[in-house]
Amino acid sequence: VLAAIGSRQYNTKVNRALTTSRQMASTFKPIVFLSAFEKGIKPSDQVVDMPYEFVVEDVIYRPNNYNGFFMGKIPIRYAFVYSLNNSTIKVAEMAGLEYVKDMSIALGMNKDIKPFYAMALGAFPATPMTVAQIFSTIGNLGEYKKATLATSYKIGDKTYNLKEAPKQVVSQEAAYQTLYIMQAVASRGTARGAHLLKGTGAKTGTSNDTKDAWTVAVFGDYTAVVWVGYDDLRPITIGGSGGRLAAPIIAEFQRRYFGKNATFSFQVPNNIVFKRVDARTGLLTERKSAGTYIEAYNKKRLPKSE
């Protein structure tokens, strides 16, 4: 950990970056899609974005999309890029709620998380430090390296190493597919207005009534997390979303630290290939026409061709 800033006020006794847990909101969603990709579901597989009722015993859960907007039949990528609630939960069902829960814990999430439908939309709380741990694991192509505030300490002549041995908790291919779509979140999705530097992978999050505004960004060797909110859970009345409140803070840091013309990229695993696909069918195509785009695939799990 290079920096953990817990308040706008330097004399605070509360470091919110390390100790304050708040609802993750949509910053949790990449875990859902990562889980799906690990299960063999492809980013171009089709899902129907529409109002759903999710029933558990006698409880009916009716989530809504932002502004009540639904996109109909779409590739899973679009549900990720545009942070669509109902289709995200359908993807969580496809991957398995229990599997998504286990994946989140493997990445660094608190172990008290439960496999509820609302889990997929970030109903469970986490500290910014925990969120950074999750996304640094994705940024390390699925290799979990426990975040520490110091790497070692010394007593007398003896040095004690605080670094734990890294472990691979998800495949490089699924992690890269997640990062690849996060780049689209930054360039044309919910973080597009912040002008994050080219190549940044991002995900925004906004809790109910805008009590929490988040953005997480992965770029180069760095993971950055910003949370904005009030300690007393008052709604944030100005700005209204993670993309408008939190993402510009990371963008400003990037410009000051790296320069406004810096660009980033992610290491491409050996099994990743890039293919053109028709967004309306999920089939590979040679046509360079509207409605087609380039997707990242595990070469062992390619869609069918037209």
Side-chain angles (χ1 to χ4, degrees), residues 30 34 107 131-145 168-172 174-180 182 201 216-224 265-269:
L34 172 69
L107 294 170
V131 178
Q133 176 72 77
I134 290 169
F135 281 90
S136 68
T137 304
I138 298 174
N140 281 319
L141 293 181
E143 189 176 59
Y144 177 92
K145 300 177 181 179
Q168 196 75 31
V169 297
V170 65
S171 70
Q172 291 186 358
Y176 181 84
Q177 289 176 303
T178 303
L179 292 168
Y180 185 69
M182 285 176 64
V216 57
V218 185
F219 48 96
D221 294 329
Y222 298 86
T223 296
S265 62
F266 300 115
Q267 177 186 344
V268 181

Side-chain angles (χ1 to χ4, degrees), residues 26 43 45 47 59 61 63 79 83 138 156 158 166 217 226 252 295:
S26 292
D45 285 348
V47 63
V59 177
Y61 180 48
S83 201
I138 298 174
K158 189 170 183 179
V226 169
E252 178 66 13
E295 187 58 88

Side-chain angles (χ1 to χ4, degrees), residues 33-69:
F33 297 98
L34 172 69
S35 301
F37 302 153
E38 185 73 350
K39 275 287 191 78
I41 298 167
K42 295 176 284 295
S44 56
D45 285 348
Q46 304 289 292
V47 63
V48 178
D49 183 55
M50 58 175 282
Y52 289 103
E53 290 186 350
F54 299 96
V55 181
V56 179
E57 297 179 352
D58 58 346
V59 177
I60 299 176
Y61 180 48
R62 298 186 182 94
N64 198 8
N65 284 354
Y66 185 72
N67 288 338
F69 175 73

Side-chain angles (χ1 to χ4, degrees), residues 193-210:
H195 305 295
L196 294 159
L197 293 184
K198 186 177 180 181
T200 299
K203 186 67 188 80
T204 64
T206 310
S207 65
N208 290 339
D209 302 321
T210 320

Side-chain angles (χ1 to χ4, degrees), residues 81-262:
V81 171
Y82 301 111
S83 201
L84 303 173
N85 290 338
N86 278 260
S87 47
T88 296
I89 296 179
K90 294 302 289 185
V91 174
E93 278 191 327
M94 294 163 66
L97 295 177
E98 190 73 31
Y99 187 77
V100 174
K101 181 209 77 172
D102 291 343
M103 177 67 74
S104 73
I105 294 172
L107 294 170
M109 185 63 179
N110 311 319
K111 293 184 179 180
D112 56 356
I113 189 171
K114 299 293 188 295
F116 301 153
Y117 281 111
M119 167 196 66
L121 305 185
F124 287 89
T127 65
M129 177 73 158
T130 297
V131 178
Q133 176 72 77
I134 290 169
F135 281 90
S136 68
T137 304
I138 298 174
N140 281 319
L141 293 181
E143 189 176 59
Y144 177 92
K145 300 177 181 179
K146 184 173 177 58
T148 61
L149 294 172
T151 58
S152 63
Y153 65 95
K154 189 174 182 179
I155 299 178
D157 295 330
K158 189 170 183 179
T159 299
Y160 297 86
N161 183 18
L162 296 177
K163 288 186 176 181
E164 296 183 4
K167 56 183 177 181
Q168 196 75 31
V169 297
V170 65
S171 70
Q172 291 186 358
E173 292 79 15
Y176 181 84
Q177 289 176 303
T178 303
L179 292 168
Y180 185 69
I181 301 178
M182 285 176 64
Q183 289 177 316
V185 174
S187 62
R188 65 179 66 93
T190 55
R192 64 189 180 278
H195 305 295
L196 294 159
L197 293 184
K198 186 177 180 181
T200 299
K203 186 67 188 80
T204 64
T206 310
S207 65
N208 290 339
D209 302 321
T210 320
K211 294 177 180 177
D212 307 276
W214 294 86
T215 294
V216 57
V218 185
F219 48 96
D221 294 329
Y222 298 86
T223 296
V225 176
V226 169
W227 168 81
V228 178
Y230 291 110
D231 291 334
D232 60 6
L233 298 178
R234 278 180 291 153
I236 306 168
T237 57
I238 300 174
S241 70
R244 294 182 63 186
L245 289 167
I249 298 173
I250 297 178
E252 178 66 13
F253 161 74
Q254 287 184 320
R255 287 191 291 270
R256 292 193 185 195
Y257 195 78
F258 299 99
K260 64 181 180 180
N261 296 319

